[in-house]
Amino acid sequence: MLKSVAPYIGKYKKYTVIASVLTTLGIIANVAPYFFLYQLILPLTRHQLPDFHFVVVRVLLIFACLAFYAISYTTGLCFSHVSAYNTLKNIRISLKSKLENQPLGNIKEMGTGQIKRVFTDDIDQIELLLAHAIPEGIANLLVPLIVLIAMFIVDWRLALLTLAIIPIGVFAMSMMMKAGMSKMGAYYESAKKMNNTIIEYVNGMEAIKVFNKDGDSFRRFGDAVRGYRDFTLAWYKVCWPWMAVYNSTLPCLAFFTLPIGALLVLNGTIDLSQLLLVLCMSFSIGSSILRALSFGGKIPQLDYKIAELEKMMNGEAIKQGTHSFEGKNYDIEFKDVKFSYKKDCRVKPDNDTNIKPDNDKGSNMSSSGLTRGSSEVLHGINLTLKQGTTTALIGESGSGKSTLAKLLVHFYDLDSGSIKIGGQDITNMSIEALNNQISYVAQEQFLFNTSLYENILIGRPDATREEVLDAARRAQCDEFLARFPKGIDTMAGDSGKQLSGGERQRISLARAILKNAPVIVLDEATAFMDPENEEKMNAAIAEIVKDKTVIVIAHRLSSIKNADKICVLKAGNVIAEGTHEELMKNCEEFQKLWQASTAAAEWRI
């Protein structure tokens, strides 16, 4: 556990060392008053009154020790927290960097609830280990060990009597940890499910209200919350009895020492002074031993969380090279491309990933959306897209068209085959180099809660304000920007809530225009197009695709009628390709899709 965290401590390791030293000194100062107390009591056992000066000095020393304990212990914890929170910062930065190198599709499929839990809750739990368990654990174990050795020097029998209670407490703690571990996996899984469900509930509240699905949605919400409650209580139920045992026994180190030691004094085996000294020492370290061992109850949780973090950090990185783009042109070639959603990959179905498992191969989809085995969705795709042409991918939902587009922008690694731009394999270049060549405009474009100007500037951060304004104009944004008092400097709101779906789409098109990449992927980019804005959207798209290599995915087939080439996909295979006229003559599947699209266009409310 410590070994896995150590690389992230870095230069702050010395702070942890200083914290351990200071807390150890503090514990020693906290133990010392019991020895001074023993010195005050000892004369009384001999029927003597201690000297007034002697008493005053001992009382002042006790107060001095307590003051030193407070200062030293607090200062040590300050150092340990500086080390801890800087380490948490390093862990979060490292996790972010490693997530960036993993397939983007896999990251999206994790769910925002799980990612939020890992980045905040789980990493914050590691603070307990770094800020408390290490410095306090060392101090609260080291000092009692020294005191126990001193007990053996005083009288080995009394020392053994003092130690006799510890195995009982340790046994209770080990049983608690063992019982807790059996429930821990289910507990954390229920927490993950609850986080994802809460976020889904909040994000989908508008649809819930519109379609009067409060009952169904709240039932799922309630089930997730109750499930978390039940797993939490089940976990605590097996831990509480053992927790009560060790919390009540470990501080009572004199449980056997006092009665049996008194008998030894009465029969003259040991001196009363020896018993008093050992009792004082046992009182001084009881709370320290309990505090040290209490961290042991947290270790299984920390182990679990660190294992989850490492699992996420050490996920297989996406295959990428270090080269810049070296292609001869912007022809795109898909060669024998095969792809499947791997085992234990959380599939978030969209318009193109409604995976239908092949039961003959032993694959199946659980209700939670977790695939078991793999489900191949592309079966040896071969396509060539010429530079400067527009190619449309069409097909029923689940045919693989959006998956093909996401593979081009390297959301996932292929099972086999290759994708090349200008003859250069996309895995040969860095992700940054690939992203510089492609503008990907999807159905849903995320807008940050900053100004619309800055949202467009993402397309090319070094662009001038004039270039951003020109991109907005070419994307037909002027009309709706004019209604805002601050124009393009208006805040977009959370996820762009200040804008309609079509307006958000045009902001994303402005990004693509500003980026001016040679390859354009439009994945349902006209999904929010209404009759009033159709002309503006088409004009905006026309600005993007000028002299570019374009891939268009659309259900509205009238929008891709003039594409240079149309590829028809079905069940992960390209079954036909050609112009609109050629496919209308020769492809029955295209004819069926065209008729359905035409009929849908005539629907009226």
Side-chain angles (χ1 to χ4, degrees):
M1 179 172 57
L2 295 178
K3 184 179 179 182
S4 61
V5 175
Y8 305 102
I9 297 179
K11 66 180 182 179
Y12 293 97
K13 183 179 179 180
K14 62 183 179 182
Y15 284 73
T16 302
V17 173
I18 294 172
S20 299
V21 171
L22 288 174
T23 50
T24 300
L25 293 175
I27 295 294
I28 293 173
N30 197 41
V31 167
Y34 289 92
F35 291 91
F36 298 135
L37 182 62
Y38 163 73
Q39 291 179 336
L40 292 173
I41 296 173
L42 185 60
L44 299 176
T45 65
R46 297 171 180 171
H47 306 288
Q48 299 173 357
L49 286 176
D51 179 72
F52 178 76
H53 179 266
F54 179 86
V55 172
V56 171
V57 170
R58 294 307 179 274
V59 170
L60 290 176
L61 285 172
I62 288 173
F63 280 110
C65 286
L66 294 177
F68 182 81
Y69 163 72
I71 295 171
S72 180
Y73 206 85
T74 304
T75 306
L77 289 181
C78 288
F79 275 99
S80 69
H81 279 82
V82 170
S83 175
Y85 283 108
N86 277 282
T87 302
L88 300 190
K89 177 201 71 174
N90 293 337
I91 291 175
R92 287 189 171 104
I93 291 173
S94 178
L95 179 57
K96 187 265 306 180
S97 300
K98 291 183 178 180
L99 281 178
E100 287 178 344
N101 290 327
Q102 292 182 31
L104 182 58
N106 290 353
I107 295 172
K108 294 180 70 176
E109 288 156 6
M110 289 178 191
T112 53
Q114 181 185 358
I115 293 176
K116 177 261 180 189
R117 178 180 63 82
V118 170
F119 267 93
T120 57
D121 303 344
D122 289 356
I123 292 179
D124 279 343
Q125 285 293 323
I126 298 174
E127 182 267 338
L128 175 68
L129 168 71
L130 300 172
H132 298 279
I134 295 176
E136 292 187 78
I138 292 172
N140 284 289
L141 277 177
L142 181 62
V143 174
L145 181 61
I146 295 172
V147 173
L148 287 169
I149 293 172
M151 285 185 187
F152 276 95
I153 295 173
V154 174
D155 189 277
W156 64 271
R157 291 160 297 185
L158 294 176
L160 289 177
L161 287 172
T162 303
L163 289 174
I165 196 69
I166 295 179
I168 299 174
V170 172
F171 173 76
M173 179 171 285
S174 64
M175 292 302 295
M176 182 202 72
M177 293 169 63
K178 182 179 178 181
M181 285 296 290
S182 66
K183 301 284 185 181
M184 190 175 295
Y187 164 75
Y188 281 113
E189 187 64 33
S190 68
K192 179 171 67 178
K193 181 179 179 182
M194 182 182 70
N195 283 334
N196 283 336
T197 303
I198 290 173
I199 290 174
E200 179 187 53
Y201 180 79
V202 173
N203 289 340
M205 198 168 286
E206 181 179 352
I208 292 168
K209 296 294 183 183
V210 169
F211 292 99
N212 290 321
K213 289 295 182 180
D214 298 69
D216 292 341
S217 184
F218 188 75
R219 189 178 303 111
R220 289 198 305 274
F221 178 94
D223 289 344
V225 174
R226 282 189 293 271
Y228 177 70
R229 176 202 65 188
D230 293 342
F231 279 115
T232 302
L233 291 177
W235 188 22
Y236 285 147
K237 187 175 181 179
V238 299
C239 294
W240 275 336
W242 299 111
M243 193 182 300
V245 172
Y246 81 74
N247 271 297
S248 59
T249 56
L250 283 175
C252 302
L253 296 181
F255 187 82
F256 295 114
T257 310
L258 182 58
I260 299 175
L263 289 174
L264 293 174
V265 171
L266 291 174
N267 64 24
T269 305
I270 63 172
D271 188 71
L272 178 58
S273 63
Q274 292 176 302
L275 177 60
L276 286 176
L277 179 56
V278 171
L279 285 175
C280 285
M281 286 192 285
S282 67
F283 294 147
S284 72
I285 62 171
S287 59
S288 293
I289 291 177
L290 176 62
R291 185 161 181 78
L293 293 180
S294 68
F295 289 117
K298 303 294 183 183
I299 288 175
Q301 300 177 47
L302 294 169
D303 277 337
Y304 186 91
K305 292 177 183 298
I306 290 173
E308 286 288 297
L309 282 172
E310 289 180 337
K311 182 179 178 182
M312 183 174 287
M313 285 183 172
N314 297 326
E316 186 175 353
I318 199 162
K319 298 174 184 175
Q320 60 172 311
T322 56
H323 297 279
S324 57
F325 177 69
E326 299 169 352
K328 296 173 289 185
N329 50 44
Y330 294 103
D331 290 352
I332 299 172
E333 180 187 13
F334 295 87
K335 187 174 182 181
D336 197 27
V337 170
K338 295 182 180 180
F339 176 75
S340 57
Y341 291 98
K342 301 296 188 300
K343 180 178 181 179
D344 292 343
C345 177
R346 183 170 294 279
V347 178
K348 186 177 181 182
D350 56 20
N351 65 317
D352 196 53
T353 55
N354 296 319
I355 312 303
K356 296 179 176 58
D358 184 351
N359 291 325
D360 293 336
K361 296 181 180 179
S363 300
N364 59 79
M365 182 86 74
S366 69
S367 60
S368 66
L370 200 65
T371 59
R372 305 299 179 190
S374 60
S375 183
E376 190 172 86
V377 294
L378 297 177
H379 316 293
I381 298 293
N382 288 287
L383 275 177
T384 300
L385 287 61
K386 291 295 183 181
Q387 176 178 328
T389 63
T390 298
T391 302
L393 306 179
I394 67 168
E396 295 178 341
S397 292
S399 60
K401 53 190 184 297
S402 283
T403 300
L404 200 62
K406 289 172 182 175
L407 291 176
L408 174 61
V409 294
H410 214 166
F411 273 23
Y412 302 94
D413 281 324
L414 306 179
D415 291 354
S416 63
S418 63
I419 301 175
K420 297 180 180 180
I421 300 177
Q424 183 181 7
D425 196 305
I426 61 172
T427 60
N428 178 255
M429 64 183 90
S430 66
I431 292 294
E432 182 180 3
L434 176 64
N435 288 338
N436 287 336
Q437 309 310 313
I438 301 176
S439 285
Y440 180 74
V441 184
Q443 176 177 338
E444 286 284 356
Q445 284 289 324
F446 184 82
L447 298 188
F448 293 92
N449 189 14
T450 183
S451 69
L452 299 177
Y453 171 82
E454 290 173 319
N455 270 284
I456 296 173
L457 190 64
I458 291 171
R460 183 156 53 87
D462 60 347
T464 64
R465 185 175 178 86
E466 289 71 24
E467 289 172 323
V468 173
L469 293 172
D470 181 61
R473 179 187 57 76
R474 292 166 62 192
Q476 308 296 308
C477 298
D478 286 352
E479 178 187 358
F480 69 82
L481 290 177
R483 77 169 188 265
F484 297 123
K486 293 185 178 180
I488 200 169
D489 295 310
T490 300
M491 298 296 288
D494 291 336
S495 301
K497 68 179 181 181
Q498 297 286 2
L499 307 180
S500 69
E503 290 166 349
R504 287 196 298 271
Q505 201 72 59
R506 276 183 269 170
I507 291 294
S508 70
L509 292 173
R511 283 178 183 169
I513 291 172
L514 186 65
K515 185 175 183 180
N516 196 29
V519 178
I520 308 293
V521 178
L522 302 174
D523 189 354
E524 293 292 343
T526 60
F528 296 115
M529 186 165 65
D530 51 55
E532 292 78 9
N533 292 317
E534 183 172 1
E535 182 178 348
K536 291 182 174 61
M537 290 287 283
N538 286 332
I541 291 173
E543 288 291 332
I544 296 176
V545 302
K546 284 180 181 177
D547 305 317
K548 303 292 193 296
T549 304
V550 183
I551 297 177
V552 181
I553 298 168
H555 282 105
R556 189 180 303 182
L557 299 193
S558 59
S559 64
I560 50 90
K561 183 177 180 180
N562 297 321
D564 297 300
K565 181 164 68 174
I566 300 172
C567 299
V568 183
L569 279 79
K570 185 173 183 178
N573 293 290
V574 177
I575 61 171
E577 54 182 283
T579 62
H580 171 79
E581 291 75 16
E582 291 169 345
L583 293 174
M584 284 295 290
K585 292 179 183 178
N586 305 319
C587 181
E588 183 178 342
E589 179 70 14
F590 181 79
Q591 294 167 10
K592 183 176 71 173
L593 291 170
W594 178 262
Q595 290 169 3
S597 178
T598 304
E602 296 174 355
W603 291 352
R604 295 292 183 272
I605 297 178

